[in-house]
Amino acid sequence: MEDIIRDLGGARIVLEGLPNTRDLGGYRTTEGNVILPKCLIRSGALTDMTVSDQTILFENYKIRTVVDFRTSLEARQKPEPKIAGVNFVFNPILNEEMAGFTHEENADADPIASFLKHAEMLEGNPEIYLDKLYEDLVSDPRSMAQYGKFLDLVSEQEDGAILWHCSIGKDRVGIGTALLLSALGVSKEIVWDDFVKTNDYLIPQTKRMLDQIRGQNPDPKLLTCAKVLNEVRRSYIESAYRTIEAQFGTVDHYLVKGLGLTAEKQDKLKQKYLEVFPK
């Protein structure tokens, strides 16, 4: 029974306002070690968390560092909460243009209206945008530098847990989590399974969003486009890995040569976050 429990990694943290917050604890590495619980937390933006959610995350899980992957535009639309004793680190993975936001003056616009405008700009072809997005996430020099900084922040965490988030915790967080799990020695199959779990948790949020969009513009093609933008597909992370392998050969080489994750840093990550079992 203990082995079964240990293999149930990436469990959802049940919260009232945050549907896609998960604990990476429990994932097993290829060497048979296990990620410790209540240390590494992936999430969407924290803006809608309730008082109860705050208690769970910052008292029960003892989160002491929050890393924000969003653009400055997104951060202004939905500011981070203020939590005493918590270090909030702004670490944008993409700039506004790469993320699909082209008008800085819309920073205070309604998020649904901004999302709708973005979907309209894609002219019914969201897959083309997403394929390019995932290539950029792992190959753009700025994005690579920011992911490298993220891994440094995780390795340097001294007290309590660390949480990282983007807007809804799927694209930027999905890739960042995949890179961290890979650095800890988790297999590609488990990494990809964790990536697509997002879809299960975002179903209610996606339905609410589509209902809101339908009230402003009932165009079926636009609704389909919006639905695709709010999902993840295994093909996206496959595309990211193909891009990595084309440029660096393997994910391990990418972590070292692309993101600056030295052997010393990787050992530090493993010592800090893995429960080691004898072979």
Side-chain angles (χ1 to χ4, degrees):
M1 175 62 75
E2 182 180 0
D3 285 342
I4 295 174
I5 293 173
R6 289 188 183 283
D7 281 333
L8 295 178
R12 182 186 189 187
I13 303 173
V14 180
L15 302 168
E16 294 173 342
L18 308 179
N20 192 25
T21 302
R22 289 132 68 184
D23 183 350
L24 299 189
Y27 278 135
R28 189 182 295 272
T29 72
T30 57
E31 295 182 343
N33 302 318
V34 175
I35 298 178
L36 294 167
K38 293 189 174 183
C39 294
L40 302 172
I41 314 298
R42 58 172 293 173
S43 182
L46 303 181
T47 312
D48 295 327
M49 71 176 176
T50 65
V51 173
S52 174
D53 295 342
Q54 182 174 320
T55 298
I56 291 171
L57 293 176
F58 297 97
E59 295 184 21
N60 296 358
Y61 278 79
K62 295 181 171 55
I63 291 169
R64 295 295 177 264
T65 301
V66 172
V67 184
D68 187 352
F69 285 171
R70 298 176 299 168
T71 66
S72 57
L73 173 62
E74 293 170 291
R76 288 197 299 275
Q77 285 181 335
K78 292 190 172 184
E80 294 278 39
K82 303 296 183 183
I83 310 292
V86 177
N87 181 30
F88 286 85
V89 181
F90 182 59
N91 188 47
I93 301 298
L94 303 171
N95 59 33
E96 272 74 17
E97 184 176 0
M98 291 171 63
F101 304 112
T102 57
H103 296 285
E104 190 72 20
E105 65 269 18
N106 289 333
D108 298 320
D110 172 58
I112 289 294
S114 297
F115 186 87
L116 186 60
K117 183 173 183 178
H118 179 44
E120 289 172 340
M121 289 173 59
L122 298 178
E123 298 180 344
N125 297 297
E127 292 87 357
I128 296 174
Y129 160 76
L130 288 166
D131 285 343
K132 180 65 165 57
L133 172 66
Y134 276 87
E135 290 178 7
D136 288 342
L137 284 172
V138 296
S139 64
D140 179 79
R142 172 194 170 90
S143 298
M144 292 167 64
Q146 296 301 88
Y147 277 133
K149 178 181 175 182
F150 163 62
L151 293 178
D152 285 346
L153 288 167
V154 176
S155 69
E156 293 164 4
Q157 179 74 8
E158 293 295 339
D159 179 44
I162 183 168
L163 177 149
W164 56 98
H165 73 84
C166 50
S167 55
I168 59 177
K170 66 182 190 73
D171 301 318
R172 289 161 287 187
V173 160
I175 291 297
T177 301
L179 297 173
L180 174 58
L181 289 173
S182 297
L184 290 169
V186 175
S187 71
K188 181 172 72 174
E189 291 73 20
I190 292 176
V191 170
W192 289 11
D193 285 345
D194 178 82
F195 177 79
V196 296
K197 277 184 183 180
T198 286
N199 288 333
D200 295 334
Y201 305 139
L202 290 182
I203 290 172
Q205 178 176 325
T206 299
K207 184 180 183 302
R208 287 194 300 271
M209 180 198 70
L210 292 177
D211 287 343
Q212 289 178 291
I213 290 175
R214 190 177 289 108
Q216 297 187 36
N217 189 330
D219 182 348
K221 290 184 178 180
L222 186 61
L223 291 168
T224 298
C225 180
K227 183 176 183 295
V228 170
L229 288 173
N230 219 54
E231 296 175 335
V232 295
R233 297 180 180 179
R234 188 174 293 267
S235 61
Y236 300 158
I237 196 164
E238 290 174 351
S239 176
Y241 271 56
R242 281 196 302 272
T243 301
I244 287 172
E245 291 165 359
Q247 296 185 20
F248 291 88
T250 68
V251 174
D252 288 341
H253 287 161
Y254 174 78
L255 291 170
V256 175
K257 297 178 182 179
L259 304 189
L261 185 70
T262 64
E264 180 181 2
K265 290 179 181 179
Q266 190 168 20
D267 287 344
K268 189 175 181 180
L269 280 173
K270 291 180 177 180
Q271 291 170 11
K272 188 183 295 286
Y273 296 109
L274 295 182
E275 184 176 1
V276 178
F277 292 88
K279 296 181 180 179

